[in-house]
Amino acid sequence: MNPATALAAVLVDELARCGLTDVVLAPGSRSTPLALAVHADSRVRLHVRVDERSASFLAVGLARRGGRPVALICTSGTAAANFHPAVIEAHESGVPLLVLTADRPPELRDTGASQTVDQVKMYGTAVRWFSEIGVPEERPGQVAYWRSLACRAYQRALGPYDPGPVHLNVAFREPLIPDGDESWCESLEGDAQGPWVRARVASPPVALHLPPTRRGVLVVGDGATGTRRYVAAAGMAGWPVLSEPSGGARYGDHAVSAYHFLLGTPEFADAHRPDVVVTLGRPSLSRPLLNWLRHAGEHIVVAADMTRWPDPTRSATQVAQVVEIPVAAGDDAWLHSWRRAESAARGAIDEVMDASGLSEPRLARDLAGTLPNGSLLFSGSSMPIRDLDQAMRPRRGLRIMANRGAAGIDGVVSSAMGAALAHTGPSYALMGDLTFLHDQNGLLLGPREPRPDLCLVVVNNDGGGIFSLLPQAALRDPFERLFGTAHGVDLGHVAAATGTPYTFVDEPGRLERALRGEGPRLVEVRTDRESNAMLHVAMRDAAQAAVRATLA
Ligand code: TPP
């Protein structure tokens, strides 16, 4: 057996023993040994994508939903560089990835050899661990080294502390395809019992016990973990729960889903200064919430693994791994006041949306309200996640995910495909037209690839709608060219180019039916940027008036 084949076979075998279930591969020559090893292994599901950027975001989606490391393989050169945005997203979001980049052996580097670039520590500080494996050779001891390294890489990506991407740069010397006989200088076999090295995880951390108070608030942002326990404790303590859509805690009697409008009403924010706020995950969507956090009495950030302190407002007074929220004596006046404002604001914005046709916030609200229990909804950054945050009513049974780590508009189609492939149950995605067009290659799917059951809903306002809600909108003349960026692309044609089923919806009553179907499919909703901006102002004004009335 040649060394390249041996290393690849051992590496893939060991990763599968560790628990690897999915591998995403972009085609190329230098990565041939890894491609063949993965293809031959029935324990892993293989996904092939020609565009490395799309491939890597597919892996991010798979790992985000699956919660386990997903391996990503490419050839040498710019192929590896095209993984970079997804590696950054995985780094910021704590999504476990094993990035295996094939490379040339040292004697070919820096010589002008084709498709050869410096891949050593290519992703900089965006990876948890980098290893230059070294060109495989046939000599005793290599197998233990490769297997031990694979276990360490898998464990480092998985966590439980600080999960994220790991980069293995794998140099192969030719021959790259199997030749000769099966002989090798030592046994290539792994441990029959399981992984070569078994990692033991540390004991649970000591909890921070808060003094009892009824005037507390639980805020849940993207990337929160262990939310259920905190939501139950907040419920017992009579605290409102303010959860972003992807925080996964927007359900139950204590959910205050219109918090963006409540806290955007200065009189309400002033009258509702809490004794303590506990934040889980990373809230980042609502400016009023972030401003209010700055003036919260005690602000405790739960940072489960202590490697990051999600505190963009620099208002944290304590950072703790685990917090115990105690039951407190007293009445429910605090909670009632939040709940009263919640239902007033919700009633007011619902009324504005109901009169708005199939507008962007109404689409977000109705989509989130319509999807069957057990569904996954993957949201694009930009307005869709904000519209969900502002317009979505509390509910159970819907999982919402988004690439909020770096909040890029890149790779969203692919990430949604990946998440759908790791999800059992129907999957949907909601994104803007620029986000969709940015990752059109996410629709490229070979006939033999596992096909996700995913309905992509694209809000087409012919450009970047979010900029119409920002101060840049006042720049009348250059605005359209610099920010609006209309493109005039017919999304139906984009769908047709890849044979993706396509439906156009222009009435709220037709939405539910349009979502039906199987496999990857596209639903387009047309909106207008200017009227969308006016609608958001109308929602804000109506909500604030309604909130003020509850204070009188
Ligand atoms: N490039 C990347 C990779 N990520 C980004 N977040 C941006 C640029 C800056 N950006 C943020 S939102 C946006 C841009 C360009 C416009 C998005 O437009 P669209 O997807 O149509 O959504 P809409 O704003 O209309 O909701």
Side-chain angles (χ1 to χ4, degrees):
M1 186 177 294
N2 64 52
T5 303
L7 166 62
V10 165
L11 215 51
V12 170
D13 175 60
E14 192 58 41
L15 291 174
R17 284 167 194 274
C18 288
L20 186 74
T21 56
D22 286 88
V23 178
V24 184
L25 168 85
S29 169
R30 194 54 53 169
S31 47
T32 298
L34 288 167
L36 293 175
V38 169
H39 187 255
D41 197 318
S42 59
R43 290 167 294 181
V44 291
R45 184 165 63 148
L46 174 64
H47 312 266
V48 181
R49 295 292 185 279
V50 285
D51 175 345
E52 286 80 12
R53 193 172 70 179
S54 166
S56 53
F57 275 106
L58 182 82
V60 167
L62 276 160
R64 189 188 286 284
R65 179 65 189 88
R68 279 192 295 266
V70 168
L72 186 56
I73 300 172
C74 71
T75 187
S76 63
T78 55
N82 276 292
F83 283 169
H84 207 152
V87 170
I88 289 172
E89 174 58 34
H91 163 59
E92 295 290 347
S93 279
V95 168
L97 278 191
L98 285 163
V99 184
L100 280 73
T101 54
D103 201 352
R104 310 271 158 151
E107 65 270 20
L108 290 179
R109 297 183 189 175
D110 207 12
T111 60
S114 177
Q115 220 177 299
T116 308
V117 304
D118 186 358
Q119 296 178 196
V120 174
K121 299 201 171 174
M122 179 178 229
Y123 307 116
T125 52
V127 290
R128 301 289 176 273
W129 188 53
F130 167 81
S131 180
E132 173 74 21
I133 297 189
V135 185
E137 296 164 34
E138 184 170 359
R139 61 183 166 80
Q142 289 267 281
V143 173
Y145 162 51
W146 297 336
R147 289 194 181 272
S148 142
L149 179 118
C151 291
R152 182 168 175 193
Y154 189 89
Q155 195 59 49
R156 190 61 198 88
L158 179 63
Y161 298 109
D162 197 24
V166 161
H167 178 200
L168 302 180
N169 195 46
V170 197
F172 290 118
R173 195 172 279 136
E174 293 178 3
L176 301 172
I177 56 168
D179 61 355
D181 58 24
E182 294 288 295
S183 67
W184 191 258
C185 64
E186 62 180 335
S187 168
L188 288 167
E189 292 305 309
D191 182 344
Q193 306 301 317
W196 194 259
V197 185
R198 264 167 269 184
R200 289 277 173 266
V201 176
S203 53
V206 177
L208 166 70
H209 288 268
L210 294 182
T213 173
R214 304 290 290 182
R215 292 178 66 93
V217 175
L218 177 66
V219 172
V220 187
D222 185 75
T225 53
T227 42
R228 198 171 297 189
R229 195 176 69 75
Y230 285 97
V231 172
M236 299 288 285
W239 295 10
V241 178
L242 281 44
S243 176
E244 290 189 350
S246 60
R250 193 180 271 234
Y251 59 84
D253 293 342
H254 295 245
V256 173
S257 59
Y259 66 86
H260 173 81
F261 299 106
L262 271 52
L263 299 175
T265 309
E267 297 87 338
F268 182 92
D270 287 341
H272 292 78
R273 299 273 170 231
D275 290 344
V276 57
V277 176
V278 172
T279 57
L280 307 179
R282 199 176 57 158
S284 68
L285 294 175
S286 165
R287 254 169 225 241
L289 172 70
L290 294 175
N291 286 336
W292 173 81
L293 268 183
R294 289 195 180 91
H295 305 290
E298 183 95 359
H299 175 203
I300 295 153
V301 168
V302 179
D305 64 20
M306 266 341 212
T307 53
R308 284 146 193 260
W309 298 24
D311 178 28
T313 52
R314 295 280 183 191
S315 54
T317 49
Q318 298 193 66
V319 176
Q321 286 171 280
V322 181
V323 173
E324 289 299 338
I325 300 172
V327 179
D331 62 24
D332 275 340
W334 170 253
L335 179 66
H336 281 322
S337 169
W338 284 84
R339 298 280 310 155
R340 219 172 23 248
E342 156 83 355
S343 63
R346 188 131 292 289
I349 59 171
D350 277 346
E351 205 170 296
V352 176
M353 283 188 276
D354 287 340
S356 72
L358 195 47
S359 65
E360 298 188 19
R362 179 167 182 181
L363 172 65
R365 183 196 66 179
D366 291 358
L367 187 64
T370 302
L371 301 180
N373 279 335
S375 297
L376 170 75
L377 175 60
F378 200 99
S379 174
S381 284
S382 203
M383 285 315 291
I385 191 72
R386 291 176 173 81
D387 280 337
L388 284 168
D389 191 41
Q390 291 168 27
M392 180 196 162
R393 297 194 187 102
R395 67 162 286 183
R396 292 175 202 271
L398 175 65
R399 184 87 170 243
I400 298 183
M401 296 190 145
N403 282 345
R404 291 298 302 166
I409 62 161
D410 46 350
V412 177
V413 174
S414 303
S415 297
M417 293 267 189
L421 282 163
H423 180 71
T424 2
S427 300
Y428 306 83
L430 177 66
M431 69 190 76
D433 48 298
L434 291 186
T435 301
F436 172 74
L437 292 170
H438 205 289
D439 190 24
Q440 284 176 62
N441 282 354
L443 296 178
L444 289 180
L445 198 62
R448 295 184 187 186
E449 300 310 316
R451 296 179 82 74
D453 188 12
L454 174 70
C455 178
L456 298 157
V457 181
V458 177
V459 190
N460 187 1
N461 53 26
D462 196 19
I466 196 168
F467 300 119
S468 299
L469 281 84
L470 299 180
Q472 287 86 332
L475 308 168
R476 275 281 151 227
D477 176 36
F479 177 80
E480 189 53 32
R481 184 159 177 226
L482 300 183
F483 303 99
T485 55
H487 47 78
V489 172
D490 183 330
L491 302 190
H493 289 178
V494 176
T498 47
T500 307
Y502 164 85
T503 316
F504 181 81
V505 183
D506 55 2
E507 277 180 39
R510 301 230 167 110
L511 177 66
E512 202 167 343
R513 195 183 161 73
L515 299 173
R516 293 188 203 145
E518 277 177 3
R521 54 201 190 276
L522 179 67
V523 170
E524 177 183 0
V525 176
R526 215 51 86 68
T527 60
D528 174 75
R529 283 188 257 133
E530 215 157 300
S531 40
N532 183 50
M534 291 191 300
L535 180 66
H536 278 85
V537 171
M539 284 167 63
R540 187 199 61 199
D541 290 349
Q544 293 192 351
V547 170
R548 276 190 201 105
T550 68
L551 298 172

